[in-house]
Each structure stands twice: as structure tokens, then as C-alpha cells.
Amino acid sequence: MPKKPSSTAASQEERAFAKLGLVRDIDLALHLPLRYEDETRITRLADAREGELVQIEATVVEQSIQYQPRKQLIVKVDDGTQTCTLRFFNFYPSQSKSLAVGKRVRARGELRGHVSAWAGSSLTMLHPVCRAASGALPQSLTPVYSTVAGLSQPVLRHAVADGLARARRDGLLDETLPPEFTRLIGSMPLYSLTTALGFLHHPSPDAALATLEDRSHPAWQRLKAEELLAQQLSQQVARRERAGLQAPVLLPRPGGLYEQLAAVLPFALTGAQQRVVGEIVQDLALPRPMHRLLQGDVGSGKTVVAALAAAACIDAGWQCALMVPTEILAEQHFRKLVGWLEPLGVQVAWLTGGAKNKAKREALARVASGEAMLVVGTHAVIQDSVVFRNLALAIIDEQHRFGVAQRLALRGKMAGPAAPAEAGALPEPGLPAYEPHLLMMSATPIPRTLAMSYYADLDVSTIDELPPGRSPIVTRVIANSRRDELIARIGDQVDAGRQVYWVCPLIEESEALDLATATDTHAELSAALPGVQVGLLHSRMPAAEKKAVMEHFSSGRMAVLVSTTVIEVGVDVPNASLMVVEHAERFGLSQLHQLRGRVGRGAAASACVLMYALPEGGRLSESARARLRAMAETQDGFEIARRDLDIRGPGEFLGARQSGAAMLRFADLETDGELLEWARELAPRLLAGQPAQAERHIERWMGGKAEFLKA
Ligand code: ADP
Ligand code: MG
């Protein structure tokens, strides 16, 4: 008979392994246990206490199936010191067979005291793990691995043990560290990797479990040191590889677009803006791809820096793309850039998911022909249908909103050979493949440890100065009970010619969360402020409607804009001077900071009111209070980011998408700063002195994932 069922089972298992990322032997070897079970000991029932997790070895003396109150298998066992009742609510016939009277079994579970009419006073185990009592007891703790449906612990355990053995046999675990580095800071000698892995998969029963749990055990130290080293190595390799790649040299011409734009700007650049523009322009003039992060607090004026970079690129005859996370922002940037660049003879194309078909086709054609030298858009910019004639500079605004894959896709838009537009005809085959320059912009500064580990491969430019004439934003945290008072104040502000944002967390009534909805609030404010134009903006509105509302607000015709968080990033209406955030306790810290950054962009004194509502129980959570306190206490984006990192930890701070597969599995930047320093110091030495070892080390840890680091 064909073995259909078992082959399905096998492929199900294969899929499960793939899902866990356990493909190569080394993956299996590095799949470390979540926790351990101690099956090395047998406890005598007479010595055991209620509530203890124990393994007993006993003989089945009675078995029955009970139907009341629920069907259950009841097995009474006796280990010679006492009896114990094992109960199973779900069981297979095979189970009752293996627990037949007379069988000798090992059962592991939690002991409970139990009194019943049937069994008298005795101990009970509910659903213990049972096996036949044959063979010697294991010598080491039994590992429990994270797994997925379709892959049982015993199968996984075997696979890991086999993978580990093969990895060891094939030399995959051989030492990659030079001898002078196998001693860690503080003189502790490092475990070798093979010893560390052997131990972590099968620790001896006397291992201090606490040091395994908090990962301070020397075996863990080795793993973390290895991982951090791999990360440092691959970042440095990526940097080197990039240095070896070709990118178009983008030199602004004397009297060209770049200089013209600089001359017509409605304001003088701040010193910080001048400095970062200088850094970027210098990079663009080199024949290797720029990989630069421009960070500057909300409102520090990053857009104009992007515009100047774009101008330098276009000046040299190459196309530039600017990708932003929301349609509203795309629209706003588009208008601003058109305003600056079209009078200078540059065509700008606009691409978003929401754009109409015909308009979109036309825009695509203009991008492909090179007629449109600048393309502004959302994710639509990286769709397959978008073909550039000669993309040389990719700018990503609010880059933290994009994933690694999206950044890669944008760079991939310039996969083939290309030539500047001035060269006339289409690119000639045989020209070297160029990489575009990449400029990422973010208002969320990256704290130092993160920069050291995740962005070692990134150059950073920082705008550390706000444009002149800004008055500080006054931040107030108030209870929802003062809503009426607040609405009255909005009336006064509007009378004085100011504009107001009112941000609500959700658009639809969700009874469970009891959120004020944007629509309700819109109705409420409209009623409370007769004669005032109150607008509504949320993500479910058609693009054209959003655009119309934003135009009304930015032109000053609309005084109050009730909105969901669609305005969170980038929106720039300098006349707006009051920001109200409803249910502020539900927002993240960086989100609040971004929202507050929508005001204080002009000369008018601005204010931000964070309104909170107490939950049922009457108290805000500790972290909600920490967030609101931070907002009230500081306006400095760097300080906010530092506190945000404190509150959330690096994993959440970066977001899984942000860091992609490069996320650390074992090391923790908070606690392993010393190891990180060690890895940073070692990486360049290893690369220079023993490049083959370094390569083996990267391969061991990164495998196919190294690609992600290039984004
Ligand atoms: P962000 O860094 O948050 O993206 P924007 O680029 O939106 O900041 O700039 C915020 C506001 O400051 C805009 O209205 C912009 O026109 C203005 N601005 C930028 N640079 C200057 C400057 N050097 N002097 C005066 N205003 C400036
Ligand atoms: Mg911006």
C-alpha cells in the first residue's frame, strides 16, 4: 500500500521546519531551547509535595473510564511508597493500552491533593506526560523548543540533536575567533561555540537554571558574543561592498538647477541645514552609492534639504524619487516641490495608489521617458509598473514607516545600466551597473547603542537646530472632564485667526474601547462652534476628498480640522497653532511627539493639549503616565526618543519590520553593551587579519539573510 498518510505527515513537518527557519544544520544547532524539563530524577510519591512538578515511576494497578461528569480515563498507579491517580480528559485508545494494568510507566506532571469517593484520599496528576519506564534516565535536562503546529517536541528534539551533531562533524562550529579574543572583557574565558551549544541544548541537571533563564550563563555569553560579532562583521562587509559599487556622480552645474533653487527659497537655510546639505552633496559627487540617514526633529526643515539633494541630482541629468508613507504627505510634498521646481523648468510626477488610472498611466509614461525628473509618491513608487529612465537618487521620508523590503525595492528600481539624460539615447548595453544613492529621512533619532549595532553601515547627518523665530510649544495634559472649557478656548483661538487640529484615535465606534470617534467629535465641534468651518479627515475617505479637505485647511479657509492619525507625520501648515489630542493616553510617545510637531511651525505661539480619559478602574497605566509626563517635560526629540526606548525596549522601538531579519535573537542591547563593544572592536581586526574566518562567521549566523542588511 502506498504510504500516503505518512508522506503527508512528512511534508507537513517539512513545512513546519521551513516556517521556523530551520533549513540548514546550523539553523538547527542555533535553535535554542525556550526552557527545560528535568527528567533526570525520579521522585518517590511519599517524598513529594502537593503542587510540585515531578517525575514518578510506578506500576499501573487499576484502570477505568469514567463518564460522569465528563468522559475521562482514570489510571491508578503505585510506586511502592504511595498511590497516585492519573486523569486524562482527552485520550486515545493507544493511550489506555500503554497504561494497561501491570505496565510500568514514568509520568511527569504537577501533583495535586485530591479526595474522591472513588479513589479515597490520594494524589492526582492531570494529563501527565507518560512513557514506558524503560532504559536509563537521561543525564541532562530535556530541552523544550519553540515550535509550530505539525511539529512535535520529540521530532524537533531529534532533528536539533542531529543538526547539531552534523554541524559539529562538518566543522561549522569550529572556532572563528583569534586566540587573543577568546578571553572576554573582565577576564572571563569564553566558552567555545561547540561547548556552549552542547551545554545549552542539554545542560547538566545541576546547572543554575536562573543563569540560563536570564542568559547570563557563560554559554549564553558566547552565543551573544557570536551573534553581535556576526552583525558587526556583516555591517562592515556591506559597507565595504557598497564602497566597491558604482553610482552616478551627481555634480551640480555652476549656475544650474541646484544653485537656482537655493537662490529662490523663501528663507535662508539654518546653519545645520547648510551643513547637512553640504554632507549630502559631497556624497552625491562620489562614484559610490550614498547610504545616509538624515535625522532632524519634527519641524527642523528636512523637506528643503531633500529638495536641494533632488536638485543636485536632476542638475546632473538624473532622475530622483521621493517616497513617503501617506497620500496626504505625498500630496503636500508634491505641491511644495512643484512650487519650487516647476518655475525652474523641472517636471514633477505624482504617483500614489489613489491616483486615477489615466492620470497614472500618463505619470508612468513621463517617468519612463525621463520627462518627469522628479517622482513623488507613496508605496506606489516601488510597484512593478514603475520604470525609471535613469534613477540615481532615492529619498525616503519618514523612513521608520517603511520596511526593509520596501527600501530594497526602491533601490532595485535602478538595477540595470543607465546613463544621464543628457547623453541622449537610451542606455547602452555594457555600461557598468549603477546603484542609486539613498537618502533616508527621519524625525526619530536613533539612540547610540542602536546606531552602533543596526546602523553601523549608515552615515548619519543630523539637523540639530530649528529654523529661527519658532516659539516653544506649551504642552498641557488635562482630563477629558475639561472638554467644554477646551472647546470654548478653541473658539477664542479661531477668533484670533489661528487654526486648530483635533486628533482622535479611531474612526469607528468601538464599544469595547469606548473611543470618541472622529465623526462624533466633528459633529460636536461643529455644533459648539457656530460659524466656524470644522473639517473632517480620516483614512477611509476617498483620496480626492482627503485632498480637498487638506487644501481647505492649508489655505486657511478651514479653521478646525478633526482628524484621525492620518496627519501624524509630515503635514506642514505653519499657521496651525493648537493641537488637541484626544485619548492621548492611548498613543505612543513618538506618535505624540510627531503629532505635537504639527504645530509650532510658524511664528505664532503654539500649544498642544493632551487630553486623557481615565479608564474604568480610575487610573492610567504606569507607561501611559510616563509617556504623558515625558511630553509635558520635554520637547527635545532626542530626549523623547531616549525615554521611548526606556519605556518600550529596542525591539519594539525599532519595530520588527524596521530591523527585518537582522534583528538580534539572543543578545540584548540594554544588557549586552559590553559584548557589543567587544564585537565592534574585534570585527575590523578579524576582517583585516583573517578574512576567511570572518566570512565563515558571517555565513554561520547570517546565511541567506545578509541581503537585508544592505537596505
Ligand atoms: P520636517 O523636518 O518636520 O520635515 P519641514 O521640512 O516640514 O520639517 O519644515 C517645517 C517648516 O519649516 C516648513 O514650513 C518649512 O517651510 C519651514 N522651514 C524649513 N527650513 C526653514 C528655514 N531655514 N527658515 C525658516 N523656515 C524654514
Ligand atoms: Mg517632514
Side-chain angles (χ1 to χ4, degrees), residues 299 302-303 329 332-333 397-398 441 569-571 598 601:
K302 295 183 289 294
T303 316
L329 192 48
Q332 175 190 289
H333 278 359
D397 195 10
E398 309 292 348
M441 309 202 290
V569 291
V571 168
R598 296 311 116 217
R601 296 182 156 241

